[in-house]
């Protein structure tokens, strides 16, 4: 029977905390960047002419149909060679994670916008509203209601996906775990702790998602 | 004085020619009803009157707004379209209320967002209009809580809030349960009595006969007959209209 020795992790709590902060930091900045990319790309996909929307479709499909790990490694090792600039691991991770999130958010935005009945656009036009205003005041609020559950799900995925940055030695939670394991020889305690920490952060988020979904149903 | 003049309106969707040169002029205070089989182009023509559909040829004049379509004329800009529609109210078959806004907010959205009216002034106007359509007590409800007839009356109040010169009704009672038709028709009737200029597309023949100054029969993309209700409904001239009316009476 294995005897758990969580006490052995005591000297490493600082490192674990640091790793957790890095994970949360990457989640927040790449979710924000991803949402901005996703909103712009999602809107352009529904409204822009073909010469804009077709390349955007290509972007979305490339990022949806290749593994994030491959994208990360490619950004770090291949892109710098291609464009002749040095890329820090942190920068490569930020770019890959943001573009990856953006491609998924874009599809969620597009789906949400297209789910709003054309009659809503017409009703807005019929009272003299301009396109931009109809979009902001009539269409987007309704699209958002449809989209919020998918957004929360995608954001949960995004937090978990940040663990991949450990591959290029960015000091997130998982990376710190492997560092601590190497010096403490306690892989079981270390990785269990890390799994629990991910869970403790994400589980409340899923509860929020359920609550929001319920509330959204109220006015329908 | 004419409130609305549409001249030689043509509209095709792909190869399908829906309007083959339809003209109509409506005097101020007139109520013109368009009848005809589905697919005759009457709804498309109505939607051309506030340019929700863009005609490919023809002219449209409503108040000070003038548009020409076809060769040599430029497509109207978004701003011009918005200005026209400020003056032309429209009520849709499926209401198209904004589901994420309260009833009052639905009515005040246009005045506040398009006309720049103050919130307080718009709320007062909105409550007046809701009282007028018999829904003063529903101001803070959401559309999902309303019956179809109530939704359509809110939609009428929303259109009236822009103080339009002309009101368009696109089959306003077709999506309603039979017992709810009356409440919507009575609101439209009271608008007619107040002298509102209106163009309606409807299948309510008795109502059309009763409320209209003129009734137009559209068939196959043209205005086949138009005249007083007496002329069009009681003394139809063409075989097409006679057939339409007798078919109609059999099924209603």
């Amino acid at each position: 029977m294995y005897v758990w020795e969580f006490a052995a992790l005591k000297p490493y709590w600082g490192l674990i905390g640091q790793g957790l902060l890095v994970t949360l930091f990457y989640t927040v900045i790449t979710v924000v960047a991803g949402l901005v990319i996703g909103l712009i790309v999602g809107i352009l996909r529904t409204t822009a002419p073909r010469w804009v929307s077709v390349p955007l479709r290509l972007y979305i499909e490339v990022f949806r149909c290749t593994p994030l790990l491959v994208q990360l490694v490619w950004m770090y090792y291949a892109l710098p060679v291609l464009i002749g600039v040095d890329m820090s691991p942190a920068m490569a991770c930020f770019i890959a994670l943001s573009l990856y999130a953006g491609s998924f958010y874009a599809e969620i935005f597009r789906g949400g916008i297209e789910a709003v009945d054309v009659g809503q656009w017409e009703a807005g036009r019929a009272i003299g509203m301009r396109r931009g205003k109809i979009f902001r005041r009539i269409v987007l609020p309704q699209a958002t209601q449809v989209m919020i559950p998918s957004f929360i799900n995608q954001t949960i995925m995004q937090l978990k996906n940040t663990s991949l940055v450990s591959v290029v030695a960015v000091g997130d939670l998982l990376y710190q775990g492997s560092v601590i394991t190497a010096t403490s020889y306690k892989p079981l305690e270390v990785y269990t702790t890390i799994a629990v920490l991910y869970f403790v952060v994400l589980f409340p988020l899923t509860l929020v998602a359920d609550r929001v979904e319920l509330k959204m149903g109220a006015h329908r | 004085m004419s409130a609305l003049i549409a001249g030689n309106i043509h509209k095709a969707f792909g190869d399908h020619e829906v309007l083959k040169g339809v003209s109509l002029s409506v005097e101020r205070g007139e109520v013109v009803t368009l009848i005809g089989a589905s697919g005759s182009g009457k709804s498309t023509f109505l939607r051309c009157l506030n340019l929700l559909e863009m005609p490919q040829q023809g002219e449209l004049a409503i108040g000070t707004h003038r548009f020409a379509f076809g060769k040599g004329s430029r497509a109207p800009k978004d701003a011009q379209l918005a200005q026209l529609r400020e003056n032309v109210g429209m009520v849709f078959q499926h209401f198209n209320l904004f589901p994420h806004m309260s009833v009052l907010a639905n009515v005040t959205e246009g005045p506040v967002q398009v006309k720049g009216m103050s919130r307080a002034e718009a709320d007062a106007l909105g409550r007046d209009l809701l009282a007028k359509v018999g829904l003063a007590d529903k101001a803070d409800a959401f559309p999902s809580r309303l019956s179809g007839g109530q939704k359509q009356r809110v939609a009428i109040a929303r259109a009236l809030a822009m103080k339009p010169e002309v009101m368009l009704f696109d089959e306003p009672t077709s999506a309603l349960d039979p017992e709810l038709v009356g409440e919507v028709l009575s609101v439209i009737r009271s608008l007619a009595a107040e002298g509102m200029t209106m163009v309606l597309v409807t299948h309510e023949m008795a109502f059309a006969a009763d409320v209209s100054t003129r009734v137009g029969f559209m068939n196959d993309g043209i205005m086949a007959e138009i005249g007083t209700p007496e002329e069009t409904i009681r003394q139809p001239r063409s075989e097409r209209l006679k057939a339409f009316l007798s078919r109609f009476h059999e099924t209603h």
Side-chain angles (χ1 to χ4, degrees), chain A residues 3-204:
Chain A
V3 183
W4 295 84
E5 281 187 76
F6 282 103
L9 298 186
K10 214 175 163 199
Y12 303 110
W13 273 116
L15 264 186
I16 293 174
Q18 230 178 62
L20 183 60
L21 281 179
V22 170
T23 292
L24 291 175
F25 175 72
Y26 265 95
T27 307
V28 170
I29 60 170
T30 61
V31 162
V32 170
L35 281 174
V36 172
I37 296 169
L39 180 63
I40 295 169
V41 173
I43 291 171
L44 288 176
R45 281 265 284 141
T46 57
T47 55
R50 282 180 63 82
W51 63 269
V52 178
S53 70
V54 168
L56 290 177
R57 168 101 200 260
L58 188 69
Y59 149 66
I60 290 169
E61 296 308 339
V62 164
F63 276 83
R64 289 205 309 171
C65 301
T66 54
L68 176 55
L69 185 54
V70 173
Q71 295 165 20
L72 266 174
V73 172
W74 192 87
M75 290 283 173
Y76 183 51
Y77 293 106
L79 187 62
V81 179
L82 207 61
I83 59 175
V85 288
D86 262 353
M87 183 93 76
S88 69
M91 196 58 189
C93 288
F94 172 72
I95 294 174
L97 281 169
S98 301
L99 288 174
Y100 177 80
S103 68
F104 279 89
Y105 286 135
E107 283 298 276
I108 296 173
F109 270 115
R110 186 181 64 83
I113 292 165
E114 286 176 358
V116 175
D117 182 38
V118 287
Q120 294 290 309
W121 286 96
E122 292 192 341
R125 287 154 77 194
I127 53 173
M129 293 173 88
R130 309 276 293 268
R131 265 169 76 103
K133 206 160 234 180
I134 299 173
F135 184 75
R136 277 201 317 281
R137 296 201 42 92
I138 311 294
V139 175
L140 198 56
Q142 293 182 61
T144 311
Q145 290 194 358
V146 179
M147 295 182 296
I148 280 180
S150 314
F151 269 140
I152 296 180
N153 282 334
Q154 190 57 43
T155 304
I156 289 170
M157 298 279 288
Q158 184 72 3
L159 192 145
K160 290 192 283 188
N161 282 335
T162 57
S163 62
L164 292 172
V165 304
S166 59
V167 171
V168 291
V170 170
D172 77 322
L173 188 55
L174 184 59
Y175 181 80
Q176 300 297 11
S178 57
V179 169
I180 296 165
T181 304
T183 53
S184 70
Y185 304 109
K186 293 280 176 209
L188 217 51
E189 283 81 354
V190 172
Y191 288 122
T192 304
T193 304
I194 282 166
V196 168
L197 283 174
Y198 275 112
F199 183 84
V200 165
V201 173
L202 286 176
F203 183 61

Side-chain angles (χ1 to χ4, degrees), chain B residues 49-213:
Chain B
L49 298 181
N50 68 348
L51 301 183
L52 280 184
E53 299 295 351
M54 203 57 67
Q56 279 128 356
Q57 202 184 311
E59 295 151 15
L60 178 68
I62 295 182
T64 56
H65 307 276
R66 266 148 232 284
F67 298 89
F69 311 96
K71 284 209 181 81
S73 44
R74 228 177 283 166
K77 294 200 181 77
D78 202 30
Q80 291 173 294
L81 293 174
Q83 280 165 11
L84 168 76
R85 293 175 188 142
E86 274 188 54
N87 293 299
V88 183
M90 185 170 222
V91 173
F92 300 89
Q93 180 177 355
H94 295 288
F95 333 126
N96 299 349
L97 293 181
F98 307 133
H100 58 302
M101 296 182 188
S102 73
V103 163
L104 183 62
N106 263 275
V107 179
T108 57
E109 180 69 8
V112 172
Q113 294 298 327
V114 178
K115 290 196 159 169
M117 192 183 280
S118 75
R119 170 57 56 196
E121 204 182 334
D123 280 354
L125 170 70
R127 287 184 192 281
D128 276 355
L129 288 169
L130 287 173
K132 184 171 170 175
V133 298
L135 292 170
D137 56 329
K138 299 289 183 192
D140 300 316
F142 277 81
S144 58
R145 294 267 163 226
L146 305 182
S147 72
Q150 291 171 329
K151 282 182 191 167
Q152 195 59 300
R153 286 186 281 152
V154 173
I156 293 172
R158 176 175 67 181
L160 290 175
M162 296 303 290
K163 302 200 189 310
E165 292 160 28
V166 179
M167 283 279 282
L168 310 175
F169 293 84
D170 189 5
E171 303 199 23
T173 58
S174 297
L176 298 179
D177 291 335
E179 74 271 21
L180 302 176
V181 168
E183 62 190 65
V184 172
L185 293 184
S186 85
V187 169
I188 300 174
R189 192 188 307 266
S190 71
L191 286 178
E194 285 170 25
M196 173 65 80
T197 310
M198 302 197 277
V199 183
L200 289 101
V201 169
T202 185
H203 295 290
E204 297 290 332
M205 217 56 74
F207 178 73
D210 184 36
V211 81
S212 312
T213 50

